């Protein structure tokens, strides 16, 4: 086969220099045609769109043609031609075809619709479908947008540890990291495991958040963000929970809760605009195939200011709704941690736009949040989105050493693990704020997918760690 340098299909579809010899490589999506001519839809992952390959059957060996089946990988030399009526401007008239990888009829992605559940069972092949090609290209673009936003705004990308000895959220639902033989554990007289001979000489876990370390960095570099994997051993089999997911956590010295809300709104709007501007074909495909309101919903987030709503007022609105006959599965009262149905009512039905809920009761929020003067609430903020519920959680942090120590003692958090965190309040403390955005929650919103397992290549959920 003559050596012609390969052009990606995304670039080939833009070309108009008809008549020249070109090469494309990719996987067969479909093949149709008559006795004289075949039309092959070829895709190489660079775009949602296939390029049409026109094959004059009389010019090719019959045995070779038999191998051109759905899923087969081909290298094709041909002439770039103007396309008549395939919905695209360019197609390729094949002169040489090489089979790089044949694909027999056991290939599970034949030309028909597949359920999301079935595709999760073949997660090693699902990136080859149009849907997952679109989702994972958008995932890449969102990661680029995140880095670009923070870089352009003077933030530093800070790498916090994945293996840690501190539990940021106090949730206790952490995966342990150990080299110990689990069949032969030595214990002390109280029955507690002795970790002296373990790799780190103490109990260690996978991180649930990089926030605490991020606070250290913000009090040195001014503005930082983390972006990495986090792990929660929650037995939550819901369409919104993963055991392994990615988090973005900015932390900014000298920002108060208002600055924090402004940052969250500006940042998330930037990401949504990036998706509309840079992933238009993929977003349109998902809009047309899965969620007819997707583009309209993304646009509406850009067009409107987010509502800023104190928790206490939010509860009043929900209580009024209940009084007027609205049924919720979970009860509504001051002090309750709002369920997704409550959050979505406020966003989708009451205000019809994103809501930033602030000033939560301190009992339902983490120890490090700054307490308000009322002694009952803290400067927390949750950004609530249509279809998702909470997409961002953050707060102004408690910068007062004594207040933080008394809160740590109140909640019986082991001080021996927290000494380094408390040091930041002893040595040149400052007001600072930050938040966490679950990357996959952002992707759920931007792609219109309905299950978080479908926006990460290999989902990790209870009883599932395949591939």
């Amino acid at each position: 086969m003559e050596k012609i340098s390969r052009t990606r299909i995304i670039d080939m579809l833009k070309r108009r220099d008809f008549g020249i010899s070109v090469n494309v490589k990719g996987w067969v999506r479909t093949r149709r045609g008559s006795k004289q001519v075949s039309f092959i839809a070829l895709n190489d992952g660079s775009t949602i769109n296939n390029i049409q390959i026109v094959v004059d059957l009389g010019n090719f060996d019959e045995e070779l043609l038999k191998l051109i089946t759905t899923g087969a990988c081909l290298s094709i030399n041909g002439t770039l031609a103007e396309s008549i009526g395939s919905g695209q401007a360019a197609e390729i008239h094949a002169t040489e075809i090489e089979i790089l990888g044949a694909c027999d009829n056991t290939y599970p992605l034949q030309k028909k619709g597949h359920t999301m559940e079935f595709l999760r069972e073949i997660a090693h092949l699902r990136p080859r479908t149009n849907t997952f090609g679109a989702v994972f290209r958008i995932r890449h673009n969102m990661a680029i947008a995140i880095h670009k936003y923070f870089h352009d705004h003077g933030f530093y990308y800070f790498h916090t540890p994945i293996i840690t000895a501190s539990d940021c959220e106090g949730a206790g639902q952490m995966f342990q990291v150990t080299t110990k033989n689990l069949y032969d554990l030595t214990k002390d007289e109280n029955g507690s495991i002795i970790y002296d001979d373990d790799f780190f000489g103490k109990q260690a876990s996978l991180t649930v958040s990089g926030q605490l370390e991020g606070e250290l960095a913000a009090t040195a570099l001014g503005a930082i963000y983390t972006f990495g994997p986090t792990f929660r051993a929650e037995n939550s089999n819901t369409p919104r929970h993963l055991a392994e997911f990615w988090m973005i956590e900015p932390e900014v010295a000298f920002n108060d809760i208002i600055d924090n809300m402004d940052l969250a709104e500006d940042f998330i709007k930037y990401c949504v605009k990036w998706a509309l501007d840079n992933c238009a074909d993929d977003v349109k495909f998902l809009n047309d195939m899965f969620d007819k309101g997707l583009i309209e919903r993304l646009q509406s987030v850009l067009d409107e200011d987010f509502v800023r709503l104190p928790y206490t007022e939010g509860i009043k609105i929900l209580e009024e709704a209940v009084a007027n006959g609205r049924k919720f599965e979970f009860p509504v009262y001051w002090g309750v941690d709002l369920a997704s149905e409550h959050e979505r009512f406020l966003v989708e039905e009451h205000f019809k736009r994103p809501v930033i809920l602030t000033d939560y009761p301190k009992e339902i929020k983490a120890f490090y949040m700054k307490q308000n003067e009322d002694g009952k609430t803290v400067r927390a903020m949750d950004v609530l989105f249509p279809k998702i519920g909470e997409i961002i959680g953050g707060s102004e942090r408690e910068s007062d050493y004594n207040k933080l120590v008394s809160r740590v003692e109140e909640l019986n958090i082991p001080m021996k693990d927290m000494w380094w965190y408390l040091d930041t309040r002893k040595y040149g403390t400052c007001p600072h704020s930050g938040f966490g955005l679950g990357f996959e929650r952002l992707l759920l919103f931007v792609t219109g997918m309905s299950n978080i397992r479908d926006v990460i290549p290999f989902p990790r959920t209870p009883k599932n760690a395949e591939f």
Side-chain angles (χ1 to χ4, degrees):
M1 192 167 175
E2 186 194 349
K3 178 75 175 159
I4 302 170
S5 65
R6 170 187 168 236
T7 303
R8 292 190 314 152
I9 288 171
I10 191 171
D11 300 321
M12 191 68 80
L13 290 168
K14 294 173 188 158
R15 287 175 66 165
R16 299 294 177 267
D17 47 349
F18 303 125
I20 66 155
S21 295
V22 293
N23 170 268
V24 287
K25 296 180 171 75
W27 293 269
V28 176
R29 284 281 199 260
T30 58
R31 177 184 170 186
R32 59 186 177 80
S34 62
K35 285 191 174 133
Q36 285 82 40
V37 66
S38 263
F39 300 99
I40 299 166
L42 201 72
N43 190 285
D44 66 359
S46 61
T47 167
I48 192 79
N49 301 308
N50 307 320
I51 194 158
Q52 178 163 282
I53 313 293
V54 182
V55 182
D56 185 336
L57 302 183
N59 297 339
F60 293 92
D61 175 55
E62 206 170 308
E63 291 306 305
L64 174 88
L65 294 171
K66 278 183 192 163
L67 295 172
I68 300 175
T69 58
T70 296
C73 187
L74 311 180
S75 175
I76 292 172
N77 286 346
T79 308
L80 187 66
E82 194 164 0
S83 185
I84 303 134
S86 75
Q88 290 170 343
E91 63 186 22
I92 295 170
H93 294 183
T95 52
E96 290 181 278
I97 299 176
E98 182 186 350
I99 311 283
L100 299 177
C103 187
D104 67 23
N105 62 6
T106 63
Y107 181 55
L109 297 173
Q110 298 299 332
K111 185 176 162 47
K112 62 177 179 29
H114 299 286
T115 66
M116 292 292 133
E117 289 75 17
F118 170 71
L119 291 172
R120 272 174 230 140
E121 290 168 20
I122 54 162
H124 61 308
L125 295 174
R126 69 179 183 167
R128 294 198 203 178
T129 63
N130 287 331
T131 301
F132 285 94
V135 167
F136 296 142
R137 280 187 295 272
I138 291 171
R139 187 179 171 105
H140 157 81
N141 263 285
M142 288 294 90
I144 294 293
I146 285 159
H147 285 301
K148 183 160 172 48
Y149 177 87
F150 287 121
H151 178 70
D152 290 352
H153 287 79
F155 285 64
Y156 298 106
Y157 182 29
F158 191 75
H159 294 114
T160 55
I162 288 173
I163 299 173
T164 174
S166 62
D167 176 0
C168 169
E169 296 297 326
Q173 295 158 322
M174 301 177 82
F175 290 102
Q176 280 200 47
V177 176
T178 183
T179 53
K180 289 174 81 70
N181 176 355
L182 299 183
Y183 297 102
D184 186 22
L185 296 171
T186 49
K187 300 184 178 178
D188 64 18
E189 63 274 13
N190 303 320
S192 301
I193 297 165
I194 297 169
Y195 286 97
D196 296 355
D197 59 341
D198 203 354
F199 189 90
F200 295 107
K202 57 158 75 168
Q203 188 175 353
S205 305
L206 294 176
T207 183
V208 296
S209 164
Q211 181 202 311
L212 302 187
E213 295 90 348
E215 287 185 54
L216 303 185
T219 54
L221 299 169
I224 64 97
Y225 69 105
T226 74
F227 186 3
T230 49
F231 308 86
R232 304 263 167 107
E234 288 177 69
N235 194 8
S236 295
N237 250 319
T238 82
R240 304 187 326 138
H241 287 89
L242 292 164
E244 174 186 303
F245 58 99
W246 288 64
M247 271 248 279
I248 299 100
E249 296 176 298
E251 197 71 38
V252 193
F254 318 118
N255 268 15
D256 66 13
I257 188 68
I258 306 294
D259 303 320
N260 205 29
M261 290 191 270
D262 292 343
L263 176 66
E265 181 169 346
D266 191 55
F267 165 61
I268 210 153
K269 284 182 169 175
Y270 179 95
C271 292
V272 169
K273 185 167 186 341
W274 185 278
L276 287 169
D277 291 349
N278 295 277
C279 313
D281 287 352
D282 288 322
V283 170
K284 183 178 186 317
F285 171 82
L286 293 168
N287 182 89
D288 296 348
M289 296 299 288
F290 285 95
D291 182 348
K292 298 285 190 274
L294 175 62
I295 290 173
E296 192 186 331
R297 202 160 53 249
L298 293 175
Q299 195 56 53
S300 75
V301 164
L302 298 184
D303 293 344
E304 298 189 280
D305 291 340
F306 296 4
V307 175
R308 315 255 169 126
L309 181 74
Y311 169 93
T312 302
E313 283 180 38
I315 291 292
K316 277 186 197 146
I317 291 167
L318 290 164
E319 285 175 338
E320 267 170 42
V322 171
N324 293 330
R326 177 60 197 245
K327 294 272 188 288
F328 290 116
E329 188 185 339
F330 296 100
V332 176
Y333 55 89
W334 198 94
V336 74
D337 202 358
L338 295 184
S340 178
E341 58 172 348
H342 304 139
E343 295 170 342
R344 290 183 61 179
F345 173 82
L346 292 170
V347 172
E348 293 168 26
E349 296 180 47
H350 188 81
F351 289 106
K352 297 189 168 49
R353 53 193 170 124
V355 172
I356 308 181
L357 209 54
T358 62
D359 303 307
Y360 281 80
K362 69 176 184 181
E363 278 69 33
I364 59 173
K365 287 295 178 184
F367 74 93
Y368 49 72
M369 297 188 178
K370 186 172 181 65
Q371 294 182 43
N372 283 318
E373 284 67 43
D374 62 14
K376 294 194 303 184
T377 61
V378 289
R379 289 188 193 172
M381 62 158 214
D382 284 355
V383 181
L384 312 178
F385 256 41
K387 283 196 83 175
I388 311 280
E390 185 203 330
I391 194 167
I392 281 177
S395 68
E396 185 176 338
R397 318 307 189 188
E398 183 55 77
S399 53
D400 181 293
Y401 177 81
N402 293 326
K403 281 187 183 168
L404 191 61
V405 170
S406 63
R407 193 81 181 109
V408 163
E409 286 167 352
E410 238 173 82
L411 296 169
N412 294 318
I413 295 167
M415 289 294 283
K416 66 176 175 31
D417 296 333
M418 298 309 301
W419 63 271
W420 54 272
Y421 183 66
L422 294 170
D423 270 3
T424 57
R425 275 62 171 179
K426 271 169 46 181
Y427 307 131
T429 190
C430 67
H432 61 287
S433 297
F435 60 79
L437 166 67
F439 187 41
E440 285 75 20
R441 295 252 174 118
L442 172 64
L443 287 165
L444 271 183
F445 183 73
V446 169
T447 61
M449 301 300 276
S450 55
N451 193 314
I452 203 159
R453 295 168 175 85
D454 299 327
V455 293
I456 193 167
F458 304 104
R460 299 290 177 247
T461 52
K463 305 283 183 281
N464 182 46
E466 293 298 315
F467 311 107

